Amino acid sequence: MKQILVFILLATLLCWFMFAPVYKHIIIVRQAVLQKEVDYLLEIGANGRHGYINSAMIQDSRDRMEERGFIPEDLIYIVETTTGIGGTDASTPVWRGAGLRLHMTYPYHRLFVIDQLVGITVPAASNRMGASGMKMSEYVP
C-alpha cells in the first residue's frame, strides 16, 4: 500500500514538474499579446486622424485576439481620457495633448488546475490578467 501511495505522489510531482513550465509560458505569452494589442490600439486611436478608440476598432481587436486563441466575449476593454471625456466617440475626439488610456483584461480560466492538484494556492478562475497603456493624442482638427 505504501508503494502505491509513493508511486502516486511521485507520478503527480513528475507530471507537475513536466507541465508547469508549459502553462506558465502560456500565461506569459497571453500577457504579452494583451500588451501588444493595447499598444497597437493606442497607436491607432491616438494618431493624428482619430483621437478615439471606437467600437469598430474594439471589434477588430476582438477578431485579432480570436485568431490568437482568445475568447472574444471574455475580453474587457476600458477606454478613458485624462480630460474626462469618453474617448470612444468619433464625433468628440480627444485633442492633441490629452491622454488616451486603455485597459484590457482577460480571465485566467483554468490555467492553474495543475498547481491546485499539488496543493498550491491558486487565483480564482474568474480573476483577470490585464494590460494597460496611455498615449497622448495627436489629433488636431
Side-chain angles (χ1 to χ4, degrees):
M1 190 63 159
K2 289 181 185 178
Q3 291 174 342
I4 293 173
L5 181 62
V6 168
F7 173 76
I8 290 172
L9 290 174
L10 186 60
T12 304
L13 284 174
L14 182 64
C15 287
W16 183 67
F17 283 128
M18 286 175 48
F19 296 115
V22 172
Y23 77 90
K24 299 285 189 203
H25 282 94
I26 292 170
I27 294 169
I28 293 169
V29 168
R30 281 187 181 176
Q31 179 69 37
V33 169
L34 283 172
Q35 188 63 52
K36 183 178 177 182
E37 187 66 23
V38 165
D39 293 342
Y40 178 74
L41 277 175
L42 285 171
E43 188 68 32
I44 297 299
N47 69 13
R49 291 190 321 221
H50 291 97
Y52 57 88
I53 298 174
N54 64 4
S55 59
M57 293 176 182
I58 290 174
Q59 185 56 46
D60 290 343
S61 171
R62 287 182 193 277
D63 294 341
R64 283 190 301 274
M65 297 301 277
E66 185 176 22
E67 291 172 2
R68 293 182 176 120
F70 288 80
I71 301 169
E73 298 81 29
D74 290 345
L75 290 163
I76 294 177
Y77 296 80
I78 301 169
V79 180
E80 301 170 332
T81 63
T82 56
T83 59
I85 62 172
T88 58
D89 189 7
S91 64
T92 58
V94 179
W95 285 37
R96 182 182 186 115
L100 188 62
R101 185 178 304 124
L102 176 63
H103 186 70
M104 189 171 157
T105 62
Y106 188 74
Y108 286 110
H109 292 297
R110 297 177 42 89
L111 282 176
F112 294 104
V113 171
I114 294 175
D115 282 348
Q116 191 175 16
L117 292 175
V118 294
I120 297 175
T121 305
V122 298
S126 62
N127 285 4
R128 305 182 73 82
M129 66 178 75
S132 61
M134 185 172 97
K135 186 165 174 71
M136 301 310 271
S137 178
E138 299 170 5
Y139 175 77
V140 178

